[in-house]
Amino acid sequence: MDCCLFYTKISLHQSLPLTVKTLLSSSTCFVFNNSSFGTSSVGCRRSLFVVATGSSSSKCEFGGLNAPLEPATPAGRLLSTVLLNDRKYFHVAVQKQLEQLAYERDEAVARMNLSLGSDEAFLHRRIAEVKELECQASVEDIMYMLISYQFSGIRVHLIPRLSKCMYNGRLEIWPCKDWELESIHSCEVLEMVREHLTTVLGWKEKSNVADNWTPTEVQKFKLCQVYAASVLYGYFLKSASLRHHLEKKFDHINPYLDIASYNQLLPSEIRSLGSEIVPFGRISGRQSTSVGQIPLLREKKQDKLKYYVMSFDPETLQMCAKPKSKEALNLIEKHSYALFSDKKTGLVASDEVILTSMASLKRIVLEAIAFGSFLWDAEEYVRTVYKVKEN
């Protein structure tokens, strides 16, 4: 089977449907131990032709919380244990951890401010800086556990480090879980997800079993790039679909409101309209969510999500696609690196070729899109309690 895998330097432009050609000028860049890649202002696109072979091997089956990225902080390890052993108390534990982190960080900052002008000012400033970094790492772990929680809710396990799934150079992900990964999307979003699969993989909706499981070769580093771009695309779809939902809600309430009237609505009114799609049923808290910060495009309202997205100008497109926090951006990099890097060398080999199938490639990309969508949810959840670092 001959198919074509397209990849970019983490450019959302090429991840969008073919009809969306507005370029992004984003500063997003993911840096790996041996390589770095970021957004391209020209939407650079090259193709990797996947070569079919005739060998067969075992499929990778997995379970538990065997995610590629292991929690590195006490908060992350605690939530990992709670998720596995006492799931019903998971959100209580998350809430307490976030509140504790917020308290510790605020306390360190308060001591630093009190010590200004004294001999201990430098010491307390360093303590506050270290505490900030510790809290940021803990929040990233908490976001990761929230994402793992949502995957477990649809009975899908995150793919473990790919090197664990290799048998005689062959990678196969089993079971595929396509239905579960697609079930989280609305019909309109799913249509755009399938267009993305066609764009980056050359996937065909009506392909037969033989085509899906024919062994094919793909460069591992380029697949890593596709994965990271697909995470960003999933994040973008969640953000854009929320905007679309809110605009349709406003239009239903009062179709005669002008743009100025829209902008004068209280944040509480906006939050109440979007509450049904805010993650984990959370909307109120010490920190306001981005639901109340979304500028609406009243004059560009479209009934269909795909055409609504096509109406975005470059600034709006980038605003929806760009993670709002440094923690979320770091998590995309760390997760992608953990998934594709070799555990022995700690590198993502740029020239390594792996043997896999279209079915497994589809599974990988669907997971990446779901990861991006769940990342948006996790970020919003955290922002209700903890003030993240703005990206």
Side-chain angles (χ1 to χ4, degrees):
M1 178 186 68
D2 290 332
C3 58
C4 189
L5 175 64
F6 297 109
Y7 73 97
T8 66
K9 296 183 178 181
I10 310 307
S11 171
L12 178 71
H13 165 57
Q14 297 297 347
S15 301
L16 293 173
L18 295 176
T19 50
V20 183
K21 295 298 182 182
T22 307
L23 296 178
L24 283 174
S25 56
S26 170
S27 60
T28 303
C29 182
F30 301 100
V31 181
F32 294 88
N33 282 1
N34 59 331
S35 303
S36 65
F37 44 97
T39 55
S40 170
S41 60
V42 296
C44 176
R45 181 181 184 181
R46 293 179 288 172
S47 60
L48 170 69
F49 289 94
V50 185
V51 183
T53 65
S55 62
S56 63
S57 183
S58 302
K59 301 181 180 67
C60 176
E61 300 188 37
F62 47 89
L65 200 61
N66 190 24
L69 185 60
E70 298 179 1
T73 64
R77 289 190 287 269
L78 172 64
L79 292 178
S80 177
T81 301
V82 173
L83 179 55
L84 284 173
N85 302 318
D86 212 354
R87 181 184 170 88
K88 64 181 179 180
Y89 293 112
F90 178 74
H91 289 301
V92 175
V94 170
Q95 176 83 10
K96 289 182 177 179
Q97 289 299 311
L98 288 174
E99 290 175 349
Q100 181 64 27
L101 290 173
Y103 172 79
E104 291 177 359
R105 184 181 64 176
D106 293 346
E107 185 180 41
V109 171
R111 289 180 178 176
M112 178 188 69
N113 292 333
L114 288 173
S115 67
L116 292 177
S118 69
D119 295 338
E120 297 179 344
F122 176 78
L123 173 62
H124 284 288
R125 185 174 76 250
R126 287 294 300 141
I127 291 174
E129 291 171 353
V130 171
K131 179 56 68 175
E132 175 72 24
L133 293 175
E134 290 177 353
C135 289
Q136 181 176 335
S138 295
V139 168
E140 291 170 12
D141 275 356
I142 291 173
M143 284 184 177
Y144 198 66
M145 288 300 103
L146 285 167
I147 292 169
S148 298
Y149 175 88
Q150 288 197 270
F151 271 107
S152 68
I154 59 172
R155 299 182 181 278
V156 173
H157 300 292
L158 281 167
I159 300 171
R161 188 185 295 268
L162 290 188
S163 58
K164 294 182 178 180
C165 296
M166 300 295 294
Y167 298 96
N168 298 322
R170 174 76 181 263
L171 168 69
E172 291 297 352
I173 310 300
W174 184 262
C176 288
K177 295 288 188 177
D178 289 359
W179 185 89
E180 289 85 350
L181 290 167
E182 292 179 345
S183 69
I184 68 172
H185 306 297
S186 67
C187 293
E188 288 187 305
V189 172
L190 185 56
E191 177 186 350
M192 297 180 71
V193 168
R194 288 173 175 169
E195 284 189 7
H196 176 74
L197 289 169
T198 300
T199 300
V200 300
L201 297 179
W203 172 79
K204 298 178 182 178
E205 188 170 356
K206 295 184 179 181
S207 56
N208 57 42
V209 175
D211 289 339
N212 285 335
W213 291 104
T214 298
T216 58
E217 291 181 345
V218 60
Q219 202 165 341
K220 191 175 184 180
F221 181 69
K222 294 176 182 178
L223 181 57
C224 178
Q225 292 179 309
V226 169
Y227 187 92
S230 298
V231 171
L232 288 175
Y233 186 57
Y235 187 99
F236 165 79
L237 286 178
K238 187 59 176 283
S239 179
S241 61
L242 172 59
R243 290 173 56 97
H244 187 229
H245 175 86
L246 289 178
E247 288 200 23
K248 291 176 70 174
K249 282 268 190 176
F250 282 128
D251 189 63
H252 177 72
I253 291 172
N254 191 337
Y256 303 106
L257 280 177
D258 57 18
I259 298 175
S261 300
Y262 272 47
N263 293 334
Q264 290 172 3
L265 286 171
L266 294 175
S268 59
E269 295 178 70
I270 298 176
R271 288 198 298 268
S272 65
L273 288 173
S275 60
E276 63 191 69
I277 46 177
V278 169
F280 311 110
R282 291 291 306 280
I283 193 66
S284 61
R286 297 194 314 163
Q287 303 295 333
S288 62
T289 73
S290 63
V291 173
Q293 301 168 7
I294 298 176
L296 302 177
L297 302 178
R298 171 66 173 159
E299 74 280 11
K300 296 183 179 180
K301 182 184 72 64
Q302 300 284 348
D303 289 334
K304 193 172 178 64
L305 176 63
K306 178 179 177 180
Y307 299 116
Y308 172 78
V309 170
M310 290 170 59
S311 72
F312 286 177
D313 56 31
E315 182 180 356
T316 305
L317 189 64
Q318 181 173 330
M319 183 185 64
C320 285
K322 185 179 179 181
K324 292 178 286 296
S325 68
K326 290 289 182 64
E327 289 86 350
L329 193 63
N330 290 343
L331 191 54
I332 297 174
E333 176 188 339
K334 289 164 63 175
H335 173 72
S336 300
Y337 175 72
L339 179 61
F340 287 91
S341 66
D342 183 85
K343 192 170 185 178
K344 293 181 179 178
T345 64
L347 303 174
V348 182
S350 59
D351 57 349
E352 181 181 355
V353 175
I354 58 176
L355 193 64
T356 184
S357 66
M358 178 59 71
S360 292
L361 290 173
K362 181 186 177 186
R363 164 69 167 86
I364 290 170
V365 173
L366 283 177
E367 177 187 294
I369 294 173
F371 189 97
S373 179
F374 292 158
L375 176 62
W376 190 97
D377 291 341
E379 187 179 50
E380 289 303 309
Y381 185 98
V382 169
R383 284 161 62 97
T384 63
V385 181
Y386 183 92
K387 185 178 180 181
V388 295
K389 294 188 68 174
E390 295 298 325
N391 181 27

